Amino acid sequence: MENFLGVNRVAFKIGEFEVYWYGIIICAAILTAIFVDCLYCKKKGYPTDLPLTIALVILPTGILSARLFSVLFEPGLSMADYFNFRTGGLSIIGGIIGGGLGLLVYCLIKKRKNAFELFDTLCVVLLLAMAIGRWGNFFNSEVYGQVIDSSSYFARFPFAVEIDGVFYQALFFYESCANLLGFVIMTFIFLYSKQTGFATAFFLIYYGTVRSILEPLRQSQYVLKLAGIPMSQLMSFFMIAVGVGVLIYAIYKTTKAKGLKNEQK
């Protein structure tokens, strides 16, 4: 029940019920993202309760989809394990898909003319939440990569983790740093871009690229596959393609809007 550095995975107990550090970190990531998003919305002139509305929409669909993605493609899991969340198995890619679809349905029901306003508001802090949340993998001793030479400078925490005397790439740390950098960049895009859709496009392209690079480095037991095809990597490429499409659409809308203004002059 201990992680890479000998820290117990269980934070505390309530009777016989064990509360894991993983769950605490995920909750902290979600609450931090909502708080930061409220500040950003205030600066943008959006309703400050907008992040709360988005969270209420995407969390149920995101969690259910994250679990579904895992039980469908993770070896050793089946649909019979779906509701046994405490055994592990939540896919970030699956969560993004489910959360995105949930928010899209919400926009359709509410007949919002510019759904990208909500998607931008979500995406700007999603990388922050994932940067924090990845440390849950540290406490669970999971999501590590290939073997590193013990004599290498990088054969030390947090660049590497040691398991039974062997050092492995700390992929959770690499992705956490990449996500944090992406969050900083997205902050400027969201706060200072007047055109909606740019933040959403950047998120899809950026995170899709990060995952497509890191996914092949994973240990095989953490790779979700279907008929030998790594599904997370495949979906990463799909995210990049969708992001490029969103970017082209956003640029087109911006160009068209400028053209109309020039005609009116």
Side-chain angles (χ1 to χ4, degrees), residues 22-64:
Y22 182 89
I24 293 174
I25 291 174
I26 295 300
C27 289
I30 293 171
L31 293 175
T32 301
I34 292 173
F35 174 75
V36 172
D37 213 9
C38 288
L39 297 178
Y40 284 4
C41 284
K42 183 177 180 180
K43 188 173 181 63
K44 287 279 286 188
Y46 295 167
T48 53
D49 62 346
L50 186 59
L52 294 174
T53 300
I54 295 174
L56 289 174
V57 172
I58 70 168
L59 285 177
T61 57
I63 292 173
L64 293 175

Side-chain angles (χ1 to χ4, degrees), residues 32-264:
T32 301
I34 292 173
F35 174 75
V36 172
D37 213 9
C38 288
L39 297 178
Y40 284 4
C41 284
K42 183 177 180 180
K43 188 173 181 63
K44 287 279 286 188
Y46 295 167
T48 53
D49 62 346
L50 186 59
L52 294 174
T53 300
I54 295 174
L56 289 174
V57 172
I58 70 168
L59 285 177
T61 57
I63 292 173
L64 293 175
S65 180
R67 182 61 175 170
L68 179 62
F69 200 89
S70 284
V71 298
L72 287 178
F73 304 122
E74 185 174 332
L77 290 181
S78 67
M79 286 303 297
D81 303 305
Y82 183 85
F83 292 103
N84 194 8
F85 281 73
R86 290 179 64 81
T87 60
L90 291 172
S91 164
I92 288 181
I93 296 289
I96 292 172
I97 295 171
L101 290 175
L103 190 56
L104 180 61
V105 171
Y106 173 81
C107 290
L108 292 173
I109 293 174
K110 292 296 183 178
K111 298 180 180 179
R112 292 189 66 99
K113 294 181 179 180
N114 195 347
F116 282 125
E117 184 177 291
L118 267 68
F119 277 95
D120 286 352
T121 303
L122 166 64
C123 289
V124 68
V125 293
L126 200 50
L127 285 173
L128 173 63
M130 293 193 295
I132 299 171
R134 270 302 178 198
W135 284 91
N137 298 129
F138 161 73
F139 283 96
N140 271 1
S141 294
E142 59 192 8
V143 188
Y144 52 89
Q146 304 303 312
V147 175
I148 295 180
D149 185 347
S150 59
S151 63
S152 169
Y153 171 81
F154 294 101
R156 63 186 71 184
F157 186 81
F159 304 106
V161 290
E162 182 181 0
I163 304 174
D164 297 328
V166 180
F167 290 90
Y168 298 86
Q169 298 163 325
L171 294 189
F172 66 87
F173 174 70
Y174 302 165
E175 185 175 324
S176 179
C177 291
N179 289 344
L180 191 59
L181 174 62
F183 163 68
V184 173
I185 298 172
M186 282 200 67
T187 294
F188 286 96
I189 294 175
F190 179 72
L191 294 181
Y192 301 108
S193 173
K194 296 181 180 180
Q195 177 59 44
T196 57
F198 285 173
T200 301
F202 176 82
F203 168 78
L204 291 169
I205 296 171
Y206 183 86
Y207 187 65
T209 301
V210 169
R211 283 299 296 265
S212 65
I213 293 173
L214 294 180
E215 199 68 20
L217 301 178
R218 285 195 177 207
Q219 288 286 309
S220 58
Q221 63 264 38
Y222 298 118
V223 178
L224 306 182
K225 295 182 179 180
L226 176 64
I229 301 174
M231 295 305 297
S232 292
Q233 190 172 24
L234 179 64
M235 294 308 300
S236 297
F237 293 137
F238 179 73
M239 287 176 65
I240 295 173
V242 173
V244 171
V246 171
L247 181 60
I248 292 173
Y249 176 77
I251 293 174
Y252 167 76
K253 292 286 288 186
T254 302
T255 304
K256 184 177 180 180
K258 288 181 178 179
L260 289 174
K261 286 183 180 181
N262 292 333
E263 289 179 3
Q264 290 174 355

